[in-house]
Amino acid sequence: MFSNHEERVSSQQTIKQANSKLVFKLIDQYDGISRAQIANITKLSPTTISSLTDELLKKELVNEIGTKIVKSSGRRPILLDVNENGAYFICADLQQHGYYLGIYNLKCKLVSGKLYNLDNYDELGKSLVVTSKQLLKKEKIAKEKLLGIAIGAPGLIDELQERVLSSTIIPLTESNLFYEQLVKAFPLCQIELVNESSLAAYAEIAFVNEIRHLNNLLYIDIHTGIGAGIIIDGNIYRGPHNLAGEFGHISIDIKGPRCKCGAKGCLETLSSIPAITNKLPKYTLKEIQRRYDELYMDVTVVVNKNAKYLAYGINNAVNLLNPEAVIIGGQITIFGQKYLSEVIKEYKDIALRQNKELPILLSQVTENAVTLGGARYLLDRILIR
Ligand SMILES: [Zn+2]
């Protein structure tokens, strides 16, 4: 049992923490903001703002960036900004034969990144620890400056977000202890294991100007498999058991082929990259893409069929979720605007009248969206929300 005094202290700390996050959020949002402006927006007293910003300055999370002339008073208040080199995040994107690892600064700018091969996925934990330390050393970043690590994984993640339960892409199983190995090596860090499509969705909504103002997004990730990232009210929606976004396994065709998951006619069997390449074994993916551009009939029929199935999948999801936009990302984007137009044409043919004009766009994040989304996700989780 807590005494009244202890309860009061802990609730005061919670309030202080929430206020500190609010102040940091504003400093992150504005390109230079004064203490007076923060007080004005938050309605907190100038003394409180002053003490909260002092603490953020002491932790080197923000810095003072000079002054802005205020015409009316002639006074020049000192402005605050996020100190981009005040702290860092490490993010990994687990892939079929290894992983991409990137270090990001507090402004989510990539400092350094590298693709690592992995012959044996049982060695993942050890490898992540070694390569993370190597990257920190190379960039001369002290271990204490590392606030968090995000791992984006293709597959089902358990409710505690510590295990990859299964994946059709990477040979990771429940018994793999890479999460524990990371916790042991970086005890001061917040370590997050998140579905890769969710992180890619997070990157789109955080960094693509066209959709930045939106709060509800469906991001469809098409590679060997198909996943979806769902953003609702600005947050990643995982579902109570972390099973949301298994978009590849919605059934589109009751007479369709049996899927690896056990179901029949899954979107993944009809609309993924292998759904195209398996039907055109004569060509490499690159050749298929070129022939699609050049309007060769054999390829066009197959790729457009793939687009049609995807359009039906999108229509089902849109009717269920009512997103503000749909983004198509992943390897399928090599087919470009022509493929997108085909998807939109088929979608409009079947969509509800009110949904026909829903923006359906290709992914616009040009760097690794999983790790970039991971950096923003950590920033939000640790310092803002
Ligand atoms: Zn399936």
Side-chain angles (χ1 to χ4, degrees):
M1 286 292 278
F2 290 110
S3 70
N4 278 344
H5 172 70
E6 280 166 335
E7 271 176 21
R8 215 167 36 241
V9 170
S10 100
S11 83
Q12 278 165 357
Q13 274 166 352
T14 312
I15 292 169
K16 193 180 159 198
Q17 216 170 28
N19 285 340
S20 171
K21 284 185 170 183
L22 181 61
V23 169
F24 186 85
K25 183 182 176 178
L26 289 172
I27 297 172
D28 174 60
Q29 237 167 38
Y30 289 80
D31 239 358
I33 186 168
S34 69
R35 288 173 176 81
Q37 283 171 303
I38 297 174
N40 206 357
I41 296 169
T42 59
K43 309 284 178 225
L44 293 168
S45 75
T47 331
T48 306
I49 297 300
S50 178
S51 114
L52 290 171
T53 51
D54 281 354
E55 230 167 271
L56 290 170
L57 281 163
K58 215 169 105 193
K59 287 182 187 162
E60 297 179 354
L61 297 174
V62 303
N63 50 15
E64 294 178 329
I65 54 156
T67 58
K68 185 166 79 178
I69 297 167
V70 179
K71 274 185 189 154
S72 55
S73 65
R75 277 168 49 212
R76 298 175 166 215
I78 296 163
L79 301 180
L80 296 157
D81 193 15
V82 170
N83 176 14
E84 62 178 11
N85 297 316
Y88 297 85
F89 308 111
I90 284 183
C91 306
D93 170 22
L94 304 187
Q95 301 171 359
Q96 211 169 0
H97 304 292
Y99 57 89
Y100 174 80
L101 194 70
I103 295 192
Y104 290 82
N105 69 21
L106 259 194
K107 288 202 169 175
C108 297
K109 284 187 199 139
L110 181 68
V111 176
S112 179
K114 202 177 161 185
L115 194 64
Y116 294 92
N117 282 324
L118 197 63
D119 296 328
N120 177 3
Y121 247 93
D122 295 339
E123 300 285 314
L124 177 65
K126 212 166 102 187
S127 179
L128 281 171
V129 169
V130 170
T131 52
S132 297
K133 286 182 177 172
Q134 274 171 0
L135 274 186
L136 287 172
K137 200 172 163 194
K138 182 178 154 250
E139 295 304 324
K140 300 188 175 62
I141 295 167
K143 212 171 156 187
E144 306 74 58
K145 288 269 175 195
L146 186 67
L147 285 188
I149 299 175
I151 311 287
L156 298 181
I157 292 165
D158 80 347
E159 289 170 57
L160 298 170
Q161 289 148 37
E162 294 172 356
R163 294 260 183 291
V164 175
L165 296 177
S166 71
S167 170
T168 49
I169 312 295
I170 52 173
L172 257 184
T173 57
E174 260 178 274
S175 58
N176 195 305
L177 298 179
F178 76 92
Y179 184 89
E180 282 80 356
Q181 285 166 294
L182 279 171
V183 170
K184 208 172 152 200
F186 298 96
L188 301 174
C189 280
Q190 182 159 333
I191 301 176
E192 299 278 347
L193 177 59
V194 190
N195 179 276
E196 58 166 9
S197 308
S198 298
L199 291 183
Y202 212 73
E204 294 284 336
I205 212 158
F207 297 105
V208 173
N209 282 335
E210 217 173 329
I211 56 165
R212 232 177 153 164
H213 58 287
L214 304 181
N215 286 310
N216 302 284
L217 182 77
L218 173 66
Y219 176 91
I220 301 166
D221 203 6
I222 306 182
H223 297 272
T224 315
I226 298 181
I230 303 165
I231 307 280
I232 295 180
D233 294 334
N235 296 308
I236 291 174
Y237 180 73
R238 304 166 187 265
H241 301 293
N242 240 332
L243 293 171
E246 284 304 314
F247 187 57
H249 302 288
I250 58 167
S251 292
I252 292 290
D253 182 357
I254 54 170
K255 290 188 181 141
R258 183 75 74 176
C259 175
K260 275 189 260 182
C261 76
K264 266 186 183 176
C266 289
L267 188 64
E268 192 162 294
T269 64
L270 302 163
S271 205
S272 58
I273 292 289
I276 295 173
T277 50
N278 290 345
K279 286 204 186 83
L280 299 161
K282 281 192 292 186
Y283 310 121
T284 63
L285 185 60
K286 188 88 200 94
E287 284 162 351
I288 296 172
Q289 182 254 318
R290 186 177 51 79
R291 290 179 77 85
Y292 187 62
D293 269 356
E294 292 168 4
L295 309 174
Y296 281 94
M297 207 52 204
D298 57 345
V299 164
T300 303
V301 169
V302 173
V303 177
N304 284 356
K305 188 82 181 278
N306 174 301
K308 184 168 186 169
Y309 280 123
L310 179 61
Y312 277 65
I314 289 174
N315 188 50
N316 292 346
V318 166
N319 286 338
L320 200 63
L321 295 170
N322 186 212
E324 292 167 280
V326 175
I327 307 291
I328 301 170
Q331 223 176 353
I332 199 79
T333 55
I334 64 162
F335 293 106
Q337 287 298 328
K338 191 162 165 274
Y339 175 83
L340 180 69
S341 305
E342 194 64 28
V343 173
I344 292 173
K345 185 189 91 190
E346 296 289 352
Y347 167 79
K348 281 192 173 176
D349 183 46
I350 53 170
L352 282 179
R353 185 174 47 82
Q354 295 86 340
N355 285 337
K356 281 193 199 291
E357 297 311 315
L358 177 79
I360 301 177
L361 311 160
L362 292 181
S363 158
Q364 288 177 62
V365 173
T366 48
E367 55 187 294
N368 186 309
V370 176
T371 51
L372 176 67
R376 184 68 223 187
Y377 180 74
L378 287 171
L379 177 71
D380 281 345
R381 291 280 293 222
I382 300 171
L383 294 170
I384 294 180
R385 287 182 182 173

